[in-house]
Amino acid sequence: MATNGDLARRLLGAAQEDELIARSLLPVEGVTDVGVGFHTQQAAEKAIKAVLAAQGAEFPFTHNLKQLRDFAKESGIELPSTLDDVEDLTPFAAAERYGSEAPIGLDRDQALTWAAAAVEWARQQIKSQERAEDSGPDTPSLR
């Protein structure tokens, strides 16, 4: 049976992959903001969910980054200031991918900054949780 730690590490790996894909798409001619926005949104979403999983929180099935931020806060997890306004990526999870009457633009540099910040934050949080688990029986378990 998969543990919370297993799920956290899988989600972190998927977030890292989405960040890499987004960066890889930048020099490709014809790739729109929608493609880059989708993968940066997915990186942030999966990173947040990885931290929630590491803490043992059963997170909601949503692509809405504001809802995930709020859920994390309710679970005692504060997102770092480097992720302020990351919810601006939410439309790229679905709505923008299928076209919208008034497409929104994407600040690609900011989107990649959020993706990288989310992945690094999640990596540090999971590592910290694993160290705590290894240090003694009185710490919350990833299992």
Side-chain angles (χ1 to χ4, degrees):
M1 182 171 167
T3 65
N4 291 337
D6 293 336
L7 177 57
R9 286 184 290 277
R10 278 198 313 270
L11 286 165
L12 177 59
Q16 291 169 322
E17 181 177 21
D18 276 308
E19 180 196 355
L20 179 61
I21 290 169
R23 287 188 187 286
S24 299
L25 291 174
L26 286 181
V28 178
E29 189 173 327
V31 172
T32 66
D33 286 349
V34 172
V36 175
F38 173 73
H39 287 289
T40 54
Q41 186 283 338
Q42 286 290 286
E45 175 186 332
K46 292 169 188 172
I48 295 167
K49 288 179 176 179
V51 172
L52 289 166
Q55 297 292 326
E58 292 188 25
F59 49 83
F61 179 76
T62 184
H63 300 299
N64 186 307
L65 296 175
K66 177 158 180 2
Q67 287 178 358
L68 286 173
R69 175 193 296 278
D70 292 346
F71 182 79
K73 188 172 186 172
E74 291 168 13
S75 300
I77 301 166
E78 286 288 332
L79 274 64
S81 62
T82 54
L83 295 178
D84 286 353
D85 299 322
V86 71
E87 55 271 7
D88 290 353
L89 293 175
T90 295
F92 293 96
E96 288 298 312
R97 293 201 69 212
Y98 297 100
S100 65
E101 290 181 23
I104 60 173
L106 177 70
D107 178 339
R108 290 178 177 208
D109 290 335
Q110 181 60 63
L112 287 167
T113 297
W114 281 324
V119 167
E120 180 57 22
W121 170 71
R123 188 189 67 71
Q124 290 176 0
Q125 292 295 308
I126 292 166
K127 190 177 196 178
S128 176
Q129 183 69 24
E130 288 173 339
R131 276 196 303 263
E133 179 185 81
D134 291 342
S135 69
D138 294 335
T139 57
S141 175
L142 284 178
R143 297 194 191 329

